[in-house]
Amino acid sequence: LSKGITADIVIDVLGYMCPVPLVETKKALRKMQVGQVLEVIGDHSASLVEIPNSMRENGNEVLAIEKNDGSKWHMFILKKK
Amino acid sequence: MAHVHSKEKIIEAEQTLAKMAIVLGSDHLDKVFAAFQLANTAAASGIETVIYFTIWGVNVIKKGEAEKLSLSSDYSRYQERLKKGMEETRSPSISKMIMDAKELGIKFLACETWMALLGVKKEDLIEEVDDVVGYPTFTLIAKDANLTFFI
């Protein structure tokens, strides 16, 4: 979808507020292999700051964030460790 | 329920950024909800997290009690508003937050003394509880925590 990035796993946290998007992101990443990409679909604006901060601290990489449909966003995260 | 007795066994450290110890002494819905918001955020952020259920917090981990929690009588006039707000914001139930907490590796410790004071037996507790310990054991576990909260 975004710049040719293909997600291995997609989670939908539309309508959920903090800390649910971060909690669901972390739960999904725990089940994934290093090198896989997680796509998170949400609309809670604070998560656009909070999830990348947490990923940075924990050594994972936010590859891209797409916003083109109101408050809805797609975040692509590469599991690196 | 796991029966482990040394500090080392209770805390099986993955790679963690910091350590948070929460003492939950209340069974009021607002405080329990906030405690799990805090704990689950920390665990999802790579912080090793332990919750010690003591005083009235023991009630939270009794089988079948998580969905019966209510506000303190001081705030009972807000009870309906809060329940409506939790629905409007699609907030997870306390039971769901307990499941998430365990999936994120949060340790649940129950206070032996307050269980005895309230006549609560080990078999009365939900299976998510990792161990029943006394204050000295919790103190050992919490002494090197960077973040501590009493709720």
Side-chain angles (χ1 to χ4, degrees):
Chain A
L1 184 66
S2 179
K3 299 169 198 159
I5 299 168
T6 313
D8 298 286
I9 306 282
V10 182
I11 60 168
D12 177 350
V13 291
L14 285 166
Y16 289 98
M17 305 184 78
C18 160
V20 175
L22 176 63
V23 167
E24 295 301 323
T25 299
K26 176 68 177 181
K27 280 165 59 184
L29 284 168
R30 279 170 70 99
K31 294 178 193 144
M32 291 167 56
Q33 310 284 329
V34 170
Q36 287 190 311
V37 174
L38 172 68
E39 178 180 355
V40 185
I41 307 170
D43 55 6
H44 184 50
S45 60
S47 299
L48 286 173
V49 177
E50 292 163 358
I51 296 177
N53 278 347
S54 174
M55 294 305 114
R56 206 171 301 121
E57 288 229 335
N58 287 280
N60 295 309
E61 186 181 347
V62 176
L63 299 172
I65 295 172
E66 264 189 6
K67 270 192 80 176
N68 46 23
D69 182 12
S71 58
K72 189 172 159 186
W73 46 259
H74 298 251
M75 192 182 302
F76 297 85
I77 300 165
L78 173 64
K79 177 166 170 147
K80 292 175 85 172
K81 54 190 283 188
Chain B
M1 195 191 302
H3 291 279
V4 283
H5 295 286
S6 74
K7 181 193 167 194
E8 289 71 25
K9 281 184 186 164
I10 292 169
I11 307 301
E12 299 148 7
E14 305 178 24
Q15 248 190 329
T16 50
L17 297 168
K19 187 165 158 182
M20 180 184 283
I22 296 172
V23 177
L24 179 56
S26 172
D27 61 357
H28 289 139
L29 177 61
D30 49 351
K31 295 194 171 190
V32 176
F33 185 60
F36 279 102
Q37 285 179 312
L38 189 60
N40 290 2
T41 300
S45 305
I47 294 171
E48 182 186 338
T49 307
V50 179
I51 307 176
Y52 188 52
F53 297 87
T54 186
I55 326 176
W56 309 112
V58 166
N59 287 335
V60 177
I61 45 170
K62 278 165 67 183
K63 284 175 187 155
E65 292 296 312
E67 293 312 310
K68 294 184 194 161
L69 306 181
S70 57
L71 293 180
S72 134
S73 55
D74 289 351
Y75 298 101
S76 56
R77 66 191 184 281
Y78 292 110
Q79 177 105 1
E80 288 315 307
R81 177 55 251 183
L82 180 62
K83 292 207 163 160
K84 191 165 170 241
M86 287 174 74
E87 279 171 29
E88 285 168 356
T89 57
R90 300 185 72 185
S91 293
S93 65
I94 300 297
S95 301
K96 172 73 164 57
M97 293 176 107
I98 288 174
M99 285 167 55
D100 287 345
K102 295 311 294 181
E103 197 173 335
L104 294 170
I106 296 177
K107 294 284 183 277
F108 285 13
L109 303 178
C111 173
E112 191 163 20
T113 303
W114 274 90
M115 282 172 63
L117 287 167
L118 299 174
V120 176
K121 305 268 185 293
K122 272 189 179 181
E123 55 267 29
D124 300 330
L125 301 181
I126 57 175
E127 62 184 20
E128 285 82 359
V129 175
D130 294 278
D131 207 357
V132 174
V133 300
Y135 273 91
T137 307
F138 176 73
T139 305
L140 269 182
I141 291 165
K143 79 176 171 47
D144 57 343
N146 321 64
L147 304 152
T148 55
F149 296 94
F150 188 101
I151 301 171

